[in-house]
Amino acid sequence: MTGAIINAAGIVVGGVWGLSAKKPIQSSSQMALKIVIGVFGIWLGVKLAWSGINGSLAQTAKELGIVVLGMTLGKLAGKLCRFQKLSNSVGQYAGAVLAAPPSKEPFSASFTVATALFCVGPLALLASLHEGLTGFSPVFLVKAATDGLATYAFCTTLGWGAIASAIPVLALEGALIRGGQLLEPFLRHQPKPLIDAINTVDGLLIFCVAMIILELKKIEVADYYPSLVFTPLLIWWLW
């Protein structure tokens, strides 16, 4: 739960900062913060993906081939389930609320939008899965920073409602982490590298999120969620 607690703390700190400042962060400061967060995210993603690749050259090539196949199948399944469209709709709604703040019930609007945005964002799943399977995930530092900045923006525009989103975010991520912890013994004691495959996919998707933060490339990360299931299943079948 350490990572989830850090994430919730980031939301609270960002919100309190926004209420105290009462004005948007300067664009130059925002860009500097994005660069730091994005570069850190790229490093974490590459490190995690690399940690999942081991064995002989032949085993490494085979595992990478299965990962590519799993991510391809996962992308197809994600498109059918419209995961990215759902994620985009939440982001668009959040942008609309910030652009035209409601005159009535600003607390409710701020809380609802922030909760949806922070829970649907890809790092909620990716960081929680990593922590559940391997222990504390530093990816939560990236999510805490991005959520904190978003909460800052919500609080300067809509008031303190977004701070309360820390509670459902903590509950969701805690549940996901616990689910990963329950799966870890089963995955760890298999003769096939199931956790390694999941970590490789997880790391690659975290790398993609960092690319989005840096605004270098638009990647439909949410559509790749099913690859976290397809890849270990393919390893189980083909290894």
Side-chain angles (χ1 to χ4, degrees), residues 48-82:
L48 179 56
W50 185 257
S51 71
I53 300 172
N54 49 58
S56 66
L57 182 60
Q59 288 176 324
T60 298
K62 183 177 180 180
E63 185 176 350
L64 287 175
I66 294 175
V67 166
V68 171
L69 177 59
M71 294 188 72
T72 301
L73 294 175
K75 176 67 179 294
L76 293 174
K79 273 193 169 296
L80 289 175
C81 295
R82 300 188 176 186

Side-chain angles (χ1 to χ4, degrees), residues 174-192:
L176 291 173
I177 291 170
R178 184 55 181 160
Q181 290 172 338
L182 293 174
L183 284 174
E184 192 273 340
F186 169 77
L187 297 173
R188 180 71 64 185
H189 293 95
Q190 297 303 313
K192 304 174 183 182

Side-chain angles (χ1 to χ4, degrees), residues 105-169:
E105 299 185 353
F107 174 89
S108 177
S110 181
F111 171 76
T112 302
V113 173
T115 299
L117 193 65
F118 301 156
C119 289
V120 172
L123 289 182
L125 172 62
L126 300 177
S128 298
L129 179 62
H130 183 210
E131 180 148 329
L133 294 179
T134 62
F136 170 66
S137 173
V139 179
F140 271 116
L141 298 176
V142 175
K143 190 170 190 297
T146 56
D147 289 357
L149 290 175
T151 307
Y152 179 103
F154 281 122
C155 287
T156 56
T157 305
L158 297 170
W160 67 277
I163 297 176
S165 67
I167 298 173
V169 169

Side-chain angles (χ1 to χ4, degrees), residues 178-217:
R178 184 55 181 160
Q181 290 172 338
L182 293 174
L183 284 174
E184 192 273 340
F186 169 77
L187 297 173
R188 180 71 64 185
H189 293 95
Q190 297 303 313
K192 304 174 183 182
L194 301 183
I195 288 186
D196 289 341
I198 294 173
N199 282 339
T200 300
V201 174
D202 203 3
L204 291 173
L205 294 182
I206 290 167
F207 173 85
C208 292
V209 172
M211 294 289 282
I212 296 172
I213 293 174
L214 292 172
E215 300 180 2
L216 296 176
K217 189 170 181 61

Side-chain angles (χ1 to χ4, degrees), residues 5-54:
I5 293 171
I6 289 174
N7 191 176
I11 293 172
V12 173
V13 170
V16 172
W17 182 22
L19 291 175
S20 302
K22 297 181 180 180
K23 61 181 180 180
I25 301 176
Q26 294 181 352
S27 57
S28 58
S29 298
Q30 287 185 24
M31 182 57 65
L33 289 170
K34 281 186 177 181
I35 291 173
V36 172
I37 294 169
V39 170
F40 184 51
I42 285 177
W43 179 75
L44 290 175
V46 171
K47 182 181 178 183
L48 179 56
W50 185 257
S51 71
I53 300 172
N54 49 58

